[in-house]
Amino acid sequence: MTESAPAANEQSTPRSRWPFARLGYLYATTVGFVWGSIWSTGRVERHEGLWVFRGMPRWTFGRGGSCVGSCYLTDRNTSPAVLRHELVHREQWRRYGFAMPLLYLLAGRDPLRNRFEIEAGLEDGGYVRRRSAARHRAG
């Protein structure tokens, strides 16, 4: 019996999770949910398994927003591209659990060199400009 690869639009679970990853992911999600519930003044919604907390005060999250477990905390940075980016971060939390904050810290603050930001997509995360279709074909 052979396994087929998941369809491109299917969410797949991480191939190998670190020990206690599920526990860490659930703990982080609980912390993110409580933090978001306390500080969010905007709409809260579920997007493909990601809790999106809008209207957060700027000091309650990093950069344009922060993913904590399955919670995305932001003021208003919720474009479709950003949400795609944050869904990858959610999967990273699922894979690494408790280790995620330390691994992210060790990967460095520069998003252009941080392996977690690169994996999530620098363009979707707003760290680099999108190349236009015409420029992309020409170069």
Side-chain angles (χ1 to χ4, degrees):
M1 194 158 82
T2 61
E3 274 187 43
S4 62
N9 61 352
E10 284 184 34
Q11 285 287 81
S12 62
T13 56
R15 292 178 194 245
S16 63
R17 291 187 179 157
W18 284 34
F20 305 106
R22 183 163 174 75
L23 181 61
Y25 168 73
L26 292 173
Y27 178 78
T29 297
T30 301
V31 169
F33 198 90
V34 168
W35 190 251
S37 296
I38 291 170
W39 296 108
S40 175
T41 61
R43 192 173 67 202
V44 177
E45 68 180 6
R46 189 100 160 141
H47 173 78
E48 295 183 32
L50 184 70
W51 287 101
V52 180
F53 291 86
R54 292 179 174 84
M56 301 287 293
R58 182 66 187 105
W59 59 269
T60 62
F61 59 89
R63 294 188 181 134
S66 294
C67 183
V68 182
S70 66
C71 300
Y72 174 53
L73 312 169
T74 189
D75 180 11
R76 58 181 173 260
N77 192 16
T78 58
S79 71
V82 167
L83 293 179
R84 246 189 339 266
H85 178 90
E86 297 305 326
L87 282 167
V88 175
H89 285 318
R90 186 194 77 186
E91 291 305 312
Q92 293 165 343
W93 272 101
R94 290 179 70 196
R95 181 172 188 189
Y96 299 111
F98 285 121
M100 183 63 187
L102 178 60
L103 292 171
Y104 189 93
L105 181 67
L106 292 173
R109 297 225 2 108
D110 180 358
L112 303 180
R113 295 176 186 259
N114 181 304
R115 72 183 200 93
F116 297 101
E117 294 299 344
I118 293 167
E119 181 182 347
L122 295 175
E123 288 181 349
D124 280 352
Y127 296 113
V128 296
R129 284 185 149 166
R130 290 198 181 279
R131 291 166 51 175
S132 72
R135 282 183 49 202
H136 183 63
R137 282 191 293 261

